Amino acid sequence: MVFGGGGAKDGRPGDEADHPARATRRQLGAWALGLGLAGPAAARAQLFPIPAIPTIPAPAPIIDPLVLQALATDPRAKRFYTLRAWTAAWTEDQAKAFSAALEGAIRHGMDGAAFLPAATRDPAAREVALTLAALTYADGLARGLADPAAASQGLFTLERQGTDVTAGLSQALDRRELAVWLDRLPPRDAEYQALSSAYVALRTQISQATASAIPTGPAILPGGTDYRAPLIAQRLYDLGYLTGPPMASQTLSAPISEALKRIQAENGMQATGKVGNDTIAVLNAGPADHARQLVLNLERRRWLRREAPATRIDVNTAGAFFTFFRNGVADWSGRTVVGSANRQTPSLQSSFSQLVVNPPWNVPASIARAEIFPRGAGYLRRQNMYVTNGRVVQRPGPTAALGLVKFDMQNPYAIYLHDTPSKSLFARAARHRSHGCVRVENAVDFARHLAGLYGVTDRFEAVLATGDTGVVQLGSDIPVRLLYHTAFVGEAGAVVYRSDPYGLDVKLAKAMGLDAPRSTLNPEEAAPDPQSAPLGP
């Protein structure tokens, strides 16, 4: 449950079953997409029969503190009213301002009307209900509606936003700046704004979408025949991947296969021109599917601390690429190979301050048991491995699993960035093939670049030339964020949608009470095969 758990933590609700802000998954779905709700104007008219705002705003009503204490059973409400010495906060004009502010919820993938509390004539109950509704909405804007750890892989160490919405709401009401305060809570960076604009645009298209779904079925090879080929051609034409009127032929022609390759590559899939059910899912994705995907990715960005480190490395594990930012500007980027579906790269943040050059690989015990010891002593010799104190170690060298450089991230999960001898994997569109660590394209050149920036080029080149293991201190920490974003702004400036290789869109949609997204990638296709996947962390 998004709002489950025992008691309040970081301003989130407790576990009272009758709490006005407690949300079922269906309610969360209403907040996120606003489907099947009564009109917001009618709800406001019922809750807020408010006359014109007077020139001098009326004060909040006087409510017996003992009555407030009896009604404010939620930990957030208790803290809110404790800060105010148990005095009422809501005037009629502030209630109206809150209702008006909720009109902007759509920009964040939410439906504002769903946050309005139920109508009541009891002033004290209305006071507390408004407080809880505003705290829930504000917390959703500031920190997200769902629990990141529960909606991820169970591990989430990315820095969170630390906004105290309880104190902030009280101050905003006293200053009569509620709308301004709410507007400052969500992310304000360019990518969030682009995703937000794309979502608003898609909402207008949902009611106009008329395309019927292409049926799933057996795979269609390039040049093969299938009754669905004309439907596929028509869809590619509608999406702008085919020019000229599509033919009615049931053959998957060369132009169709080439168009399929383009759309497959753009969605992070292997560009084969072959039509499987994962490709059908991509072709069937319409405005509602993309809108839902944007809701999920707007939510993931609200989880994060607003001020990302100006100099950092961001790895998008869904798209399998990385970007190095220097002083807030993208300075280097490349492809990555990240964890497979059954050995996922977690959502974590840690830093490194040194490069390990010509690194050995201390093989995790789980990999040694499953993939190395069963192959016998001959395999260990061929892989330049030895056993010490029961642990397998691979000696350094150009064919070693870590390649020639390791970006030595400090965390208790043995997750780091590194080089690899298996360069061919970077040419693949689907690059979820590792055991959880992140293999970096052109890792040695990137390490050289960092060494140059931090004034240690000579040291780096000298250690690299020896072939022996050595450490090059950079003299400064470089933070690394491992993010899972299936919708983002691409190099051309347009919003790009990616498949869901870890199934985390499905998991987050469930946590938020949304319909499950279409599966656009069979996770088994991204699972490593111990018999064939290139060895490495």
Side-chain angles (χ1 to χ4, degrees), residues 23-38 102 105-106 108-116 137 145 199 203 295 509-515:
T24 62
R25 285 174 176 163
R26 179 175 298 175
Q27 179 66 50
L28 278 177
W31 288 348
L33 286 176
L35 303 177
L37 295 173
L102 289 175
I106 189 174
H108 310 289
M110 305 179 192
D111 187 283
F115 286 88
L116 291 173
Y137 180 56
L145 293 168
Y199 173 74
R203 282 296 302 266
V295 167
K510 183 177 181 181
M512 295 183 71
L514 305 177
D515 292 338

PDB file of all heavy atoms in Angstrom, residues 23-38 102 105-106 108-116 137 145 199 203 295 509-515:
ATOM      1  N   ALA A  23      -5.663   6.041   1.363  1.00  0.00           N
ATOM      2  CA  ALA A  23      -6.051   5.839  -0.023  1.00  0.00           C
ATOM      3  C   ALA A  23      -5.999   4.380  -0.400  1.00  0.00           C
ATOM      4  O   ALA A  23      -5.009   3.723  -0.171  1.00  0.00           O
ATOM      5  CB  ALA A  23      -5.130   6.632  -0.943  1.00  0.00           C
ATOM      6  N   THR A  24      -7.076   3.880  -0.941  1.00  0.00           N
ATOM      7  CA  THR A  24      -7.008   2.569  -1.573  1.00  0.00           C
ATOM      8  C   THR A  24      -6.281   2.728  -2.881  1.00  0.00           C
ATOM      9  O   THR A  24      -6.059   3.834  -3.365  1.00  0.00           O
ATOM     10  CB  THR A  24      -8.425   2.038  -1.853  1.00  0.00           C
ATOM     11  OG1 THR A  24      -9.045   2.934  -2.766  1.00  0.00           O
ATOM     12  CG2 THR A  24      -9.237   1.938  -0.589  1.00  0.00           C
ATOM     13  N   ARG A  25      -5.891   1.615  -3.478  1.00  0.00           N
ATOM     14  CA  ARG A  25      -5.223   1.710  -4.770  1.00  0.00           C
ATOM     15  C   ARG A  25      -6.143   2.309  -5.813  1.00  0.00           C
ATOM     16  O   ARG A  25      -5.707   3.019  -6.711  1.00  0.00           O
ATOM     17  CB  ARG A  25      -4.738   0.328  -5.211  1.00  0.00           C
ATOM     18  CG  ARG A  25      -3.513  -0.108  -4.425  1.00  0.00           C
ATOM     19  CD  ARG A  25      -3.107  -1.514  -4.750  1.00  0.00           C
ATOM     20  NE  ARG A  25      -1.884  -1.859  -4.042  1.00  0.00           N
ATOM     21  CZ  ARG A  25      -1.465  -3.090  -3.875  1.00  0.00           C
ATOM     22  NH1 ARG A  25      -2.137  -4.093  -4.360  1.00  0.00           N
ATOM     23  NH2 ARG A  25      -0.345  -3.328  -3.219  1.00  0.00           N
ATOM     24  N   ARG A  26      -7.436   2.058  -5.678  1.00  0.00           N
ATOM     25  CA  ARG A  26      -8.356   2.663  -6.637  1.00  0.00           C
ATOM     26  C   ARG A  26      -8.367   4.175  -6.485  1.00  0.00           C
ATOM     27  O   ARG A  26      -8.394   4.916  -7.456  1.00  0.00           O
ATOM     28  CB  ARG A  26      -9.763   2.107  -6.432  1.00  0.00           C
ATOM     29  CG  ARG A  26     -10.794   2.713  -7.374  1.00  0.00           C
ATOM     30  CD  ARG A  26     -12.140   2.042  -7.223  1.00  0.00           C
ATOM     31  NE  ARG A  26     -12.057   0.624  -7.571  1.00  0.00           N
ATOM     32  CZ  ARG A  26     -13.063  -0.216  -7.433  1.00  0.00           C
ATOM     33  NH1 ARG A  26     -14.231   0.194  -6.966  1.00  0.00           N
ATOM     34  NH2 ARG A  26     -12.919  -1.488  -7.764  1.00  0.00           N
ATOM     35  N   GLN A  27      -8.319   4.661  -5.234  1.00  0.00           N
ATOM     36  CA  GLN A  27      -8.291   6.100  -5.027  1.00  0.00           C
ATOM     37  C   GLN A  27      -7.006   6.692  -5.588  1.00  0.00           C
ATOM     38  O   GLN A  27      -7.007   7.754  -6.201  1.00  0.00           O
ATOM     39  CB  GLN A  27      -8.379   6.416  -3.529  1.00  0.00           C
ATOM     40  CG  GLN A  27      -8.334   7.905  -3.206  1.00  0.00           C
ATOM     41  CD  GLN A  27      -9.541   8.647  -3.730  1.00  0.00           C
ATOM     42  OE1 GLN A  27     -10.660   8.238  -3.501  1.00  0.00           O
ATOM     43  NE2 GLN A  27      -9.317   9.717  -4.462  1.00  0.00           N
ATOM     44  N   LEU A  28      -5.877   5.993  -5.395  1.00  0.00           N
ATOM     45  CA  LEU A  28      -4.625   6.483  -5.957  1.00  0.00           C
ATOM     46  C   LEU A  28      -4.707   6.550  -7.471  1.00  0.00           C
ATOM     47  O   LEU A  28      -4.204   7.484  -8.085  1.00  0.00           O
ATOM     48  CB  LEU A  28      -3.459   5.584  -5.541  1.00  0.00           C
ATOM     49  CG  LEU A  28      -2.885   5.856  -4.157  1.00  0.00           C
ATOM     50  CD1 LEU A  28      -1.799   4.842  -3.854  1.00  0.00           C
ATOM     51  CD2 LEU A  28      -2.338   7.260  -4.088  1.00  0.00           C
ATOM     52  N   GLY A  29      -5.344   5.556  -8.065  1.00  0.00           N
ATOM     53  CA  GLY A  29      -5.510   5.587  -9.505  1.00  0.00           C
ATOM     54  C   GLY A  29      -6.326   6.788  -9.937  1.00  0.00           C
ATOM     55  O   GLY A  29      -6.061   7.411 -10.958  1.00  0.00           O
ATOM     56  N   ALA A  30      -7.350   7.125  -9.150  1.00  0.00           N
ATOM     57  CA  ALA A  30      -8.135   8.309  -9.465  1.00  0.00           C
ATOM     58  C   ALA A  30      -7.283   9.562  -9.355  1.00  0.00           C
ATOM     59  O   ALA A  30      -7.350  10.461 -10.186  1.00  0.00           O
ATOM     60  CB  ALA A  30      -9.342   8.402  -8.531  1.00  0.00           C
ATOM     61  N   TRP A  31      -6.466   9.639  -8.311  1.00  0.00           N
ATOM     62  CA  TRP A  31      -5.587  10.794  -8.174  1.00  0.00           C
ATOM     63  C   TRP A  31      -4.656  10.910  -9.374  1.00  0.00           C
ATOM     64  O   TRP A  31      -4.365  11.989  -9.842  1.00  0.00           O
ATOM     65  CB  TRP A  31      -4.750  10.665  -6.909  1.00  0.00           C
ATOM     66  CG  TRP A  31      -5.515  10.858  -5.654  1.00  0.00           C
ATOM     67  CD1 TRP A  31      -6.788  11.349  -5.522  1.00  0.00           C
ATOM     68  CD2 TRP A  31      -5.068  10.554  -4.335  1.00  0.00           C
ATOM     69  NE1 TRP A  31      -7.145  11.361  -4.205  1.00  0.00           N
ATOM     70  CE2 TRP A  31      -6.125  10.887  -3.452  1.00  0.00           C
ATOM     71  CE3 TRP A  31      -3.887  10.032  -3.819  1.00  0.00           C
ATOM     72  CZ2 TRP A  31      -6.008  10.724  -2.078  1.00  0.00           C
ATOM     73  CZ3 TRP A  31      -3.783   9.876  -2.461  1.00  0.00           C
ATOM     74  CH2 TRP A  31      -4.824  10.207  -1.590  1.00  0.00           C
ATOM     75  N   ALA A  32      -4.152   9.762  -9.854  1.00  0.00           N
ATOM     76  CA  ALA A  32      -3.130   9.802 -10.896  1.00  0.00           C
ATOM     77  C   ALA A  32      -3.705  10.081 -12.273  1.00  0.00           C
ATOM     78  O   ALA A  32      -3.163  10.880 -13.015  1.00  0.00           O
ATOM     79  CB  ALA A  32      -2.347   8.483 -10.914  1.00  0.00           C
ATOM     80  N   LEU A  33      -4.803   9.434 -12.634  1.00  0.00           N
ATOM     81  CA  LEU A  33      -5.310   9.578 -13.998  1.00  0.00           C
ATOM     82  C   LEU A  33      -6.685  10.225 -14.075  1.00  0.00           C
ATOM     83  O   LEU A  33      -7.096  10.689 -15.109  1.00  0.00           O
ATOM     84  CB  LEU A  33      -5.360   8.208 -14.694  1.00  0.00           C
ATOM     85  CG  LEU A  33      -4.011   7.651 -15.113  1.00  0.00           C
ATOM     86  CD1 LEU A  33      -4.190   6.269 -15.691  1.00  0.00           C
ATOM     87  CD2 LEU A  33      -3.343   8.542 -16.136  1.00  0.00           C
ATOM     88  N   GLY A  34      -7.418  10.235 -12.945  1.00  0.00           N
ATOM     89  CA  GLY A  34      -8.693  10.912 -12.946  1.00  0.00           C
ATOM     90  C   GLY A  34      -9.725  10.289 -13.844  1.00  0.00           C
ATOM     91  O   GLY A  34     -10.506  10.986 -14.476  1.00  0.00           O
ATOM     92  N   LEU A  35      -9.771   8.953 -13.928  1.00  0.00           N
ATOM     93  CA  LEU A  35     -10.718   8.285 -14.811  1.00  0.00           C
ATOM     94  C   LEU A  35     -11.995   7.969 -14.049  1.00  0.00           C
ATOM     95  O   LEU A  35     -11.967   7.474 -12.931  1.00  0.00           O
ATOM     96  CB  LEU A  35     -10.101   6.996 -15.353  1.00  0.00           C
ATOM     97  CG  LEU A  35      -8.782   7.186 -16.107  1.00  0.00           C
ATOM     98  CD1 LEU A  35      -8.234   5.846 -16.527  1.00  0.00           C
ATOM     99  CD2 LEU A  35      -8.982   8.086 -17.311  1.00  0.00           C
ATOM    100  N   GLY A  36     -13.139   8.234 -14.657  1.00  0.00           N
ATOM    101  CA  GLY A  36     -14.404   7.854 -14.068  1.00  0.00           C
ATOM    102  C   GLY A  36     -14.785   8.676 -12.867  1.00  0.00           C
ATOM    103  O   GLY A  36     -15.544   8.224 -12.017  1.00  0.00           O
ATOM    104  N   LEU A  37     -14.295   9.905 -12.760  1.00  0.00           N
ATOM    105  CA  LEU A  37     -14.621  10.744 -11.612  1.00  0.00           C
ATOM    106  C   LEU A  37     -15.756  11.697 -11.958  1.00  0.00           C
ATOM    107  O   LEU A  37     -15.955  12.079 -13.097  1.00  0.00           O
ATOM    108  CB  LEU A  37     -13.400  11.563 -11.189  1.00  0.00           C
ATOM    109  CG  LEU A  37     -12.215  10.752 -10.670  1.00  0.00           C
ATOM    110  CD1 LEU A  37     -11.041  11.681 -10.454  1.00  0.00           C
ATOM    111  CD2 LEU A  37     -12.590  10.065  -9.380  1.00  0.00           C
ATOM    112  N   ALA A  38     -16.477  12.129 -10.924  1.00  0.00           N
ATOM    113  CA  ALA A  38     -17.461  13.181 -11.127  1.00  0.00           C
ATOM    114  C   ALA A  38     -16.749  14.469 -11.490  1.00  0.00           C
ATOM    115  O   ALA A  38     -15.578  14.660 -11.183  1.00  0.00           O
ATOM    116  CB  ALA A  38     -18.279  13.373  -9.850  1.00  0.00           C
ATOM    117  N   LEU A 102      -5.897  22.981  -7.203  1.00  0.00           N
ATOM    118  CA  LEU A 102      -6.026  21.599  -7.660  1.00  0.00           C
ATOM    119  C   LEU A 102      -6.302  21.498  -9.151  1.00  0.00           C
ATOM    120  O   LEU A 102      -6.140  20.429  -9.744  1.00  0.00           O
ATOM    121  CB  LEU A 102      -7.127  20.888  -6.873  1.00  0.00           C
ATOM    122  CG  LEU A 102      -6.805  20.569  -5.408  1.00  0.00           C
ATOM    123  CD1 LEU A 102      -8.025  19.982  -4.710  1.00  0.00           C
ATOM    124  CD2 LEU A 102      -5.626  19.623  -5.298  1.00  0.00           C
ATOM    125  N   ALA A 105      -3.345  20.167 -10.997  1.00  0.00           N
ATOM    126  CA  ALA A 105      -2.821  18.829 -10.702  1.00  0.00           C
ATOM    127  C   ALA A 105      -2.585  18.007 -11.962  1.00  0.00           C
ATOM    128  O   ALA A 105      -1.697  17.133 -11.977  1.00  0.00           O
ATOM    129  CB  ALA A 105      -3.791  18.088  -9.773  1.00  0.00           C
ATOM    130  N   ILE A 106      -3.346  18.279 -13.012  1.00  0.00           N
ATOM    131  CA  ILE A 106      -3.199  17.496 -14.240  1.00  0.00           C
ATOM    132  C   ILE A 106      -1.781  17.615 -14.789  1.00  0.00           C
ATOM    133  O   ILE A 106      -1.268  16.684 -15.434  1.00  0.00           O
ATOM    134  CB  ILE A 106      -4.233  17.939 -15.293  1.00  0.00           C
ATOM    135  CG1 ILE A 106      -4.227  16.983 -16.494  1.00  0.00           C
ATOM    136  CG2 ILE A 106      -3.984  19.364 -15.733  1.00  0.00           C
ATOM    137  CD1 ILE A 106      -5.318  17.272 -17.515  1.00  0.00           C
ATOM    138  N   HIS A 108       0.810  17.299 -13.336  1.00  0.00           N
ATOM    139  CA  HIS A 108       1.678  16.351 -12.627  1.00  0.00           C
ATOM    140  C   HIS A 108       1.155  14.912 -12.725  1.00  0.00           C
ATOM    141  O   HIS A 108       1.585  14.040 -11.980  1.00  0.00           O
ATOM    142  CB  HIS A 108       1.810  16.781 -11.171  1.00  0.00           C
ATOM    143  CG  HIS A 108       2.177  18.217 -11.021  1.00  0.00           C
ATOM    144  ND1 HIS A 108       3.432  18.696 -11.341  1.00  0.00           N
ATOM    145  CD2 HIS A 108       1.434  19.305 -10.650  1.00  0.00           C
ATOM    146  CE1 HIS A 108       3.463  20.005 -11.154  1.00  0.00           C
ATOM    147  NE2 HIS A 108       2.272  20.396 -10.749  1.00  0.00           N
ATOM    148  N   GLY A 109       0.243  14.696 -13.665  1.00  0.00           N
ATOM    149  CA  GLY A 109      -0.301  13.359 -13.838  1.00  0.00           C
ATOM    150  C   GLY A 109      -1.299  12.987 -12.763  1.00  0.00           C
ATOM    151  O   GLY A 109      -1.519  11.808 -12.498  1.00  0.00           O
ATOM    152  N   MET A 110      -1.901  13.975 -12.127  1.00  0.00           N
ATOM    153  CA  MET A 110      -2.885  13.731 -11.065  1.00  0.00           C
ATOM    154  C   MET A 110      -4.212  14.384 -11.427  1.00  0.00           C
ATOM    155  O   MET A 110      -4.266  15.274 -12.276  1.00  0.00           O
ATOM    156  CB  MET A 110      -2.393  14.315  -9.731  1.00  0.00           C
ATOM    157  CG  MET A 110      -1.033  13.845  -9.271  1.00  0.00           C
ATOM    158  SD  MET A 110      -0.593  14.660  -7.700  1.00  0.00           S
ATOM    159  CE  MET A 110       1.143  14.226  -7.564  1.00  0.00           C
ATOM    160  N   ASP A 111      -5.261  13.951 -10.757  1.00  0.00           N
ATOM    161  CA  ASP A 111      -6.563  14.570 -10.917  1.00  0.00           C
ATOM    162  C   ASP A 111      -6.897  15.304  -9.623  1.00  0.00           C
ATOM    163  O   ASP A 111      -7.091  14.696  -8.578  1.00  0.00           O
ATOM    164  CB  ASP A 111      -7.644  13.548 -11.238  1.00  0.00           C
ATOM    165  CG  ASP A 111      -8.957  14.242 -11.577  1.00  0.00           C
ATOM    166  OD1 ASP A 111      -9.645  14.698 -10.654  1.00  0.00           O
ATOM    167  OD2 ASP A 111      -9.289  14.330 -12.768  1.00  0.00           O
ATOM    168  N   GLY A 112      -6.940  16.617  -9.704  1.00  0.00           N
ATOM    169  CA  GLY A 112      -7.125  17.411  -8.500  1.00  0.00           C
ATOM    170  C   GLY A 112      -8.430  17.149  -7.788  1.00  0.00           C
ATOM    171  O   GLY A 112      -8.480  17.163  -6.549  1.00  0.00           O
ATOM    172  N   ALA A 113      -9.507  16.911  -8.532  1.00  0.00           N
ATOM    173  CA  ALA A 113     -10.808  16.718  -7.897  1.00  0.00           C
ATOM    174  C   ALA A 113     -10.811  15.528  -6.964  1.00  0.00           C
ATOM    175  O   ALA A 113     -11.570  15.493  -5.990  1.00  0.00           O
ATOM    176  CB  ALA A 113     -11.885  16.556  -8.963  1.00  0.00           C
ATOM    177  N   ALA A 114      -9.982  14.544  -7.236  1.00  0.00           N
ATOM    178  CA  ALA A 114      -9.955  13.353  -6.397  1.00  0.00           C
ATOM    179  C   ALA A 114      -9.350  13.620  -5.026  1.00  0.00           C
ATOM    180  O   ALA A 114      -9.484  12.786  -4.127  1.00  0.00           O
ATOM    181  CB  ALA A 114      -9.170  12.238  -7.097  1.00  0.00           C
ATOM    182  N   PHE A 115      -8.679  14.764  -4.858  1.00  0.00           N
ATOM    183  CA  PHE A 115      -8.091  15.084  -3.558  1.00  0.00           C
ATOM    184  C   PHE A 115      -9.083  15.812  -2.653  1.00  0.00           C
ATOM    185  O   PHE A 115      -8.819  15.982  -1.460  1.00  0.00           O
ATOM    186  CB  PHE A 115      -6.847  15.969  -3.738  1.00  0.00           C
ATOM    187  CG  PHE A 115      -5.658  15.230  -4.270  1.00  0.00           C
ATOM    188  CD1 PHE A 115      -5.459  15.107  -5.641  1.00  0.00           C
ATOM    189  CD2 PHE A 115      -4.737  14.644  -3.423  1.00  0.00           C
ATOM    190  CE1 PHE A 115      -4.360  14.440  -6.144  1.00  0.00           C
ATOM    191  CE2 PHE A 115      -3.640  13.966  -3.916  1.00  0.00           C
ATOM    192  CZ  PHE A 115      -3.451  13.855  -5.281  1.00  0.00           C
ATOM    193  N   LEU A 116     -10.185  16.299  -3.216  1.00  0.00           N
ATOM    194  CA  LEU A 116     -11.133  17.045  -2.406  1.00  0.00           C
ATOM    195  C   LEU A 116     -11.774  16.140  -1.356  1.00  0.00           C
ATOM    196  O   LEU A 116     -12.225  15.041  -1.668  1.00  0.00           O
ATOM    197  CB  LEU A 116     -12.220  17.654  -3.288  1.00  0.00           C
ATOM    198  CG  LEU A 116     -11.765  18.782  -4.224  1.00  0.00           C
ATOM    199  CD1 LEU A 116     -12.896  19.171  -5.152  1.00  0.00           C
ATOM    200  CD2 LEU A 116     -11.280  19.975  -3.424  1.00  0.00           C
ATOM    201  N   TYR A 137      -1.937  16.087  -0.941  1.00  0.00           N
ATOM    202  CA  TYR A 137      -1.593  16.631  -2.261  1.00  0.00           C
ATOM    203  C   TYR A 137      -0.191  17.230  -2.249  1.00  0.00           C
ATOM    204  O   TYR A 137       0.616  16.981  -3.161  1.00  0.00           O
ATOM    205  CB  TYR A 137      -2.626  17.686  -2.662  1.00  0.00           C
ATOM    206  CG  TYR A 137      -2.371  18.309  -4.014  1.00  0.00           C
ATOM    207  CD1 TYR A 137      -2.261  17.528  -5.154  1.00  0.00           C
ATOM    208  CD2 TYR A 137      -2.240  19.695  -4.149  1.00  0.00           C
ATOM    209  CE1 TYR A 137      -2.029  18.092  -6.404  1.00  0.00           C
ATOM    210  CE2 TYR A 137      -2.012  20.272  -5.392  1.00  0.00           C
ATOM    211  CZ  TYR A 137      -1.903  19.463  -6.510  1.00  0.00           C
ATOM    212  OH  TYR A 137      -1.670  20.024  -7.743  1.00  0.00           O
ATOM    213  N   LEU A 145       3.576  10.019  -4.536  1.00  0.00           N
ATOM    214  CA  LEU A 145       2.456   9.336  -3.895  1.00  0.00           C
ATOM    215  C   LEU A 145       2.819   7.940  -3.405  1.00  0.00           C
ATOM    216  O   LEU A 145       2.231   7.440  -2.461  1.00  0.00           O
ATOM    217  CB  LEU A 145       1.288   9.222  -4.885  1.00  0.00           C
ATOM    218  CG  LEU A 145       0.617  10.537  -5.302  1.00  0.00           C
ATOM    219  CD1 LEU A 145      -0.293  10.287  -6.492  1.00  0.00           C
ATOM    220  CD2 LEU A 145      -0.162  11.128  -4.143  1.00  0.00           C
ATOM    221  N   TYR A 199       2.313  14.879 -21.193  1.00  0.00           N
ATOM    222  CA  TYR A 199       1.166  14.217 -20.567  1.00  0.00           C
ATOM    223  C   TYR A 199      -0.121  15.015 -20.823  1.00  0.00           C
ATOM    224  O   TYR A 199      -1.151  14.450 -21.194  1.00  0.00           O
ATOM    225  CB  TYR A 199       1.390  14.061 -19.068  1.00  0.00           C
ATOM    226  CG  TYR A 199       0.167  13.549 -18.354  1.00  0.00           C
ATOM    227  CD1 TYR A 199      -0.214  12.217 -18.461  1.00  0.00           C
ATOM    228  CD2 TYR A 199      -0.639  14.403 -17.593  1.00  0.00           C
ATOM    229  CE1 TYR A 199      -1.357  11.741 -17.824  1.00  0.00           C
ATOM    230  CE2 TYR A 199      -1.776  13.939 -16.957  1.00  0.00           C
ATOM    231  CZ  TYR A 199      -2.131  12.610 -17.077  1.00  0.00           C
ATOM    232  OH  TYR A 199      -3.253  12.141 -16.468  1.00  0.00           O
ATOM    233  N   ARG A 203      -3.448  13.666 -22.885  1.00  0.00           N
ATOM    234  CA  ARG A 203      -4.788  13.557 -22.306  1.00  0.00           C
ATOM    235  C   ARG A 203      -5.858  14.035 -23.273  1.00  0.00           C
ATOM    236  O   ARG A 203      -6.978  13.515 -23.284  1.00  0.00           O
ATOM    237  CB  ARG A 203      -4.867  14.354 -21.000  1.00  0.00           C
ATOM    238  CG  ARG A 203      -4.237  13.685 -19.790  1.00  0.00           C
ATOM    239  CD  ARG A 203      -4.951  12.394 -19.431  1.00  0.00           C
ATOM    240  NE  ARG A 203      -6.355  12.610 -19.158  1.00  0.00           N
ATOM    241  CZ  ARG A 203      -6.851  12.817 -17.946  1.00  0.00           C
ATOM    242  NH1 ARG A 203      -6.050  12.841 -16.907  1.00  0.00           N
ATOM    243  NH2 ARG A 203      -8.142  12.985 -17.767  1.00  0.00           N
ATOM    244  N   VAL A 295       2.745   9.263 -16.337  1.00  0.00           N
ATOM    245  CA  VAL A 295       2.345   9.374 -14.932  1.00  0.00           C
ATOM    246  C   VAL A 295       3.382   8.691 -14.038  1.00  0.00           C
ATOM    247  O   VAL A 295       3.812   9.235 -13.012  1.00  0.00           O
ATOM    248  CB  VAL A 295       0.946   8.759 -14.712  1.00  0.00           C
ATOM    249  CG1 VAL A 295       0.655   8.591 -13.221  1.00  0.00           C
ATOM    250  CG2 VAL A 295      -0.119   9.619 -15.354  1.00  0.00           C
ATOM    251  N   ALA A 509       2.685   0.930 -11.202  1.00  0.00           N
ATOM    252  CA  ALA A 509       1.283   1.137 -11.575  1.00  0.00           C
ATOM    253  C   ALA A 509       0.363   0.451 -10.570  1.00  0.00           C
ATOM    254  O   ALA A 509      -0.663   1.010 -10.156  1.00  0.00           O
ATOM    255  CB  ALA A 509       1.028   0.606 -12.984  1.00  0.00           C
ATOM    256  N   LYS A 510       0.731  -0.741 -10.148  1.00  0.00           N
ATOM    257  CA  LYS A 510      -0.077  -1.445  -9.150  1.00  0.00           C
ATOM    258  C   LYS A 510      -0.096  -0.684  -7.835  1.00  0.00           C
ATOM    259  O   LYS A 510      -1.147  -0.545  -7.196  1.00  0.00           O
ATOM    260  CB  LYS A 510       0.478  -2.860  -8.948  1.00  0.00           C
ATOM    261  CG  LYS A 510      -0.331  -3.706  -7.978  1.00  0.00           C
ATOM    262  CD  LYS A 510       0.242  -5.118  -7.877  1.00  0.00           C
ATOM    263  CE  LYS A 510      -0.592  -5.963  -6.910  1.00  0.00           C
ATOM    264  NZ  LYS A 510      -0.026  -7.335  -6.779  1.00  0.00           N
ATOM    265  N   ALA A 511       1.060  -0.165  -7.414  1.00  0.00           N
ATOM    266  CA  ALA A 511       1.128   0.585  -6.168  1.00  0.00           C
ATOM    267  C   ALA A 511       0.293   1.854  -6.227  1.00  0.00           C
ATOM    268  O   ALA A 511      -0.252   2.302  -5.213  1.00  0.00           O
ATOM    269  CB  ALA A 511       2.583   0.934  -5.844  1.00  0.00           C
ATOM    270  N   MET A 512       0.174   2.437  -7.429  1.00  0.00           N
ATOM    271  CA  MET A 512      -0.583   3.673  -7.581  1.00  0.00           C
ATOM    272  C   MET A 512      -2.034   3.438  -7.969  1.00  0.00           C
ATOM    273  O   MET A 512      -2.782   4.393  -8.191  1.00  0.00           O
ATOM    274  CB  MET A 512       0.099   4.557  -8.629  1.00  0.00           C
ATOM    275  CG  MET A 512       1.482   5.036  -8.220  1.00  0.00           C
ATOM    276  SD  MET A 512       2.235   6.152  -9.438  1.00  0.00           S
ATOM    277  CE  MET A 512       1.208   7.616  -9.206  1.00  0.00           C
ATOM    278  N   GLY A 513      -2.432   2.182  -8.070  1.00  0.00           N
ATOM    279  CA  GLY A 513      -3.813   1.881  -8.389  1.00  0.00           C
ATOM    280  C   GLY A 513      -4.177   2.056  -9.843  1.00  0.00           C
ATOM    281  O   GLY A 513      -5.351   2.203 -10.185  1.00  0.00           O
ATOM    282  N   LEU A 514      -3.189   2.025 -10.725  1.00  0.00           N
ATOM    283  CA  LEU A 514      -3.442   2.181 -12.155  1.00  0.00           C
ATOM    284  C   LEU A 514      -3.544   0.828 -12.834  1.00  0.00           C
ATOM    285  O   LEU A 514      -3.038  -0.174 -12.331  1.00  0.00           O
ATOM    286  CB  LEU A 514      -2.309   2.983 -12.805  1.00  0.00           C
ATOM    287  CG  LEU A 514      -1.996   4.350 -12.202  1.00  0.00           C
ATOM    288  CD1 LEU A 514      -0.815   4.971 -12.918  1.00  0.00           C
ATOM    289  CD2 LEU A 514      -3.203   5.258 -12.265  1.00  0.00           C
ATOM    290  N   ASP A 515      -4.163   0.812 -14.000  1.00  0.00           N
ATOM    291  CA  ASP A 515      -4.161  -0.400 -14.811  1.00  0.00           C
ATOM    292  C   ASP A 515      -2.731  -0.752 -15.179  1.00  0.00           C
ATOM    293  O   ASP A 515      -1.895   0.127 -15.403  1.00  0.00           O
ATOM    294  CB  ASP A 515      -4.979  -0.194 -16.090  1.00  0.00           C
ATOM    295  CG  ASP A 515      -6.469  -0.039 -15.808  1.00  0.00           C
ATOM    296  OD1 ASP A 515      -6.914  -0.497 -14.738  1.00  0.00           O
ATOM    297  OD2 ASP A 515      -7.164   0.547 -16.647  1.00  0.00           O
TER     298      ASP A 515
END
